[in-house]
Amino acid sequence: MIFPNLWIHTPLRGVLTICHQLTKTEIPDLAKCSVLMKERSKVEETIHGMQRAGAGSLHVISDFDMTLTRFAHNGKRVPTTHNILDNRLLINEDCTKKMRELLNTYYPIEIDAGRTVEEKLPLMVEWWTKVHELLIQQRIRRDMLAQAVKESSAMLREGHKVFFDCLAAHQVPLLIFSAGVGDVLEEVIQQNHVFHPNVHIISNYMDFDHTGALRAFKGQLIHTFNKRDGALSQAAHLTELQGRPNVLLLGDSLGDLTMADGVSEPENILTIGFLNDQVEERKESYVNSFDIVLVKDETMDVPNGILRYIISSRDNK
């Protein structure tokens, strides 16, 4: 969705000062002050189980916007894949205005800790459907997408190259499950030179007519809170994931926790949640839901540290 450029800082009220001291030295990144864990022993047990099984039993499932990409940089919001389309090469000023009005209406609902997922579901469908209808009306040109990405301030998180390259080098599948725009997402990864053969993407893809103009969106609509449906219907068909019962799951929304629901006979699932915004309001629900919560952490340090431990320890045996 389209977000305003200015980033309004949310006081942490001491969250970052609560440093968890990890007595073990294998993954020092878990001692960062941005790391919160409700059950440290469970996390360590899960990681050790993944390490014993090795890279051949692992795959990674990740959200994209605000998970693999930064939430903010130098005090300003980093654009999502929908944001990147807010470019005069692609859409006009009236479309931008209408999409921002939709954002102001629906985004507070998406992150409202006081509403249930069931309450949010139909409203998220409304939001995504209205945005996609606006984009279709603009008849966006396929041949302009690369230039729009190039002109944007899209940024993957610090340490992203280590993350993507490590997974590719050890042939660990990376399934990116995004409610954003798949065509834009692919272009972002391509321009960062990390679109390796092990990367698979499930997202909202554009359907262009014979002239290269957007005429529809393909397949089932994917939004923040229906990823479970996509996981069950699409991820199960990826043969690359078969025989890999261990999952490292990355997301920035509670809805992302369902992305591993399509995994057949899972053994170890470790969930990492990026808590980017409204920390005080959402901290409790995130800590109760994700195994590891990263508070306003714009890096891939923790996922990279866990991957290094799982892979290098196995290789050294």
Side-chain angles (χ1 to χ4, degrees):
M1 297 298 104
I2 288 188
F3 293 92
N5 289 327
L6 291 179
W7 174 34
I8 301 176
H9 177 70
T10 304
L12 299 188
R13 300 177 188 173
V15 171
L16 296 184
T17 63
I18 305 174
C19 297
H20 294 283
Q21 298 302 315
L22 191 67
T23 57
K24 301 183 185 230
T25 60
E26 292 94 336
I27 311 175
D29 298 292
L30 287 177
K32 290 180 66 173
C33 294
S34 57
V35 176
L36 299 176
M37 287 181 270
K38 182 178 181 180
E39 298 183 59
R40 174 174 295 274
S41 60
K42 177 190 172 187
V43 169
E44 293 182 353
E45 180 181 346
T46 301
I47 293 174
H48 285 308
M50 291 177 162
Q51 181 270 327
R52 287 190 296 270
S57 296
L58 177 69
H59 71 278
V60 178
I61 303 177
S62 181
D63 174 50
F64 188 74
D65 288 319
M66 298 178 284
T67 297
L68 294 179
T69 64
R70 290 175 181 255
F71 176 79
H73 182 63
N74 292 333
K76 290 186 178 181
R77 288 293 299 269
V78 170
T80 64
T81 52
H82 280 95
N83 271 89
I84 291 170
L85 297 175
D86 186 9
N87 183 305
R88 289 298 164 265
L89 291 171
L90 303 174
I91 67 175
N92 60 33
E93 188 173 349
D94 183 59
C95 182
T96 293
K97 179 182 177 182
K98 289 178 179 177
M99 290 174 72
R100 287 181 177 170
E101 288 173 351
L102 291 172
L103 167 76
N104 293 333
T105 299
Y106 291 101
Y107 181 60
I109 296 172
E110 178 187 349
I111 64 174
D112 185 354
R115 292 186 187 233
T116 65
V117 172
E118 288 72 22
E119 291 175 305
K120 295 178 181 182
L121 275 172
L123 298 172
M124 295 301 101
V125 173
E126 280 183 13
W127 184 12
W128 259 256
T129 300
K130 289 177 180 178
V131 167
H132 286 181
E133 288 173 349
L134 287 170
L135 294 174
I136 292 168
Q137 291 171 14
Q138 296 296 297
R139 293 185 59 77
I140 289 173
R141 299 284 312 172
R142 175 167 48 193
D143 57 6
M144 300 303 292
L145 291 178
Q147 185 62 29
V149 170
K150 186 176 181 180
E151 292 181 4
S152 75
S153 57
M155 296 179 69
L156 295 176
R157 287 184 186 269
E158 181 182 338
H160 70 273
K161 183 168 175 54
V162 172
F163 177 78
F164 278 88
D165 289 354
C166 177
L167 293 175
H170 293 274
Q171 299 180 329
V172 176
L174 169 59
L175 174 61
I176 299 176
F177 211 144
S178 173
V181 182
D183 310 79
V184 178
L185 187 164
E186 286 194 10
E187 190 62 39
V188 172
I189 299 176
Q190 289 277 17
Q191 293 189 19
N192 280 277
H193 311 292
V194 289
F195 202 160
H196 302 306
N198 66 312
V199 176
H200 309 277
I201 300 169
I202 297 175
S203 187
N204 298 302
Y205 276 91
M206 295 176 167
D207 185 17
F208 298 95
D209 65 19
H210 70 283
T211 69
L214 176 63
R215 63 181 179 184
F217 277 83
K218 300 176 182 178
Q220 176 189 358
L221 173 68
I222 300 174
H223 58 77
T224 306
F225 295 106
N226 74 338
K227 290 186 176 181
R228 181 180 186 275
D229 297 335
L232 294 173
S233 64
Q234 298 186 57
H237 298 300
L238 291 174
T239 57
E240 294 87 346
L241 307 185
Q242 295 177 7
R244 292 177 177 269
N246 294 332
V247 182
L248 179 63
L249 183 149
L250 313 178
D252 75 300
S253 164
L254 296 180
D256 293 330
L257 289 164
T258 64
M259 294 189 297
D261 285 2
V263 177
S264 176
E265 299 181 355
E267 291 182 6
N268 296 290
I269 297 180
L270 184 71
T271 61
I272 300 177
F274 289 88
L275 180 50
N276 301 307
D277 194 18
Q278 295 198 351
V279 171
E280 288 302 318
E281 295 87 343
R282 301 196 289 169
K283 181 177 64 174
E284 182 178 1
S285 61
Y286 272 58
V287 170
N288 286 333
S289 302
F290 287 96
D291 297 316
I292 300 172
V293 177
L294 304 179
V295 180
K296 289 190 178 293
D297 187 338
E298 297 289 353
T299 76
M300 296 296 291
D301 290 349
V302 170
N304 285 341
I306 292 171
L307 285 174
R308 275 194 300 269
Y309 177 66
I310 293 172
I311 292 169
S312 64
S313 295
R314 184 70 175 181
D315 287 345
N316 290 335
K317 289 188 174 181

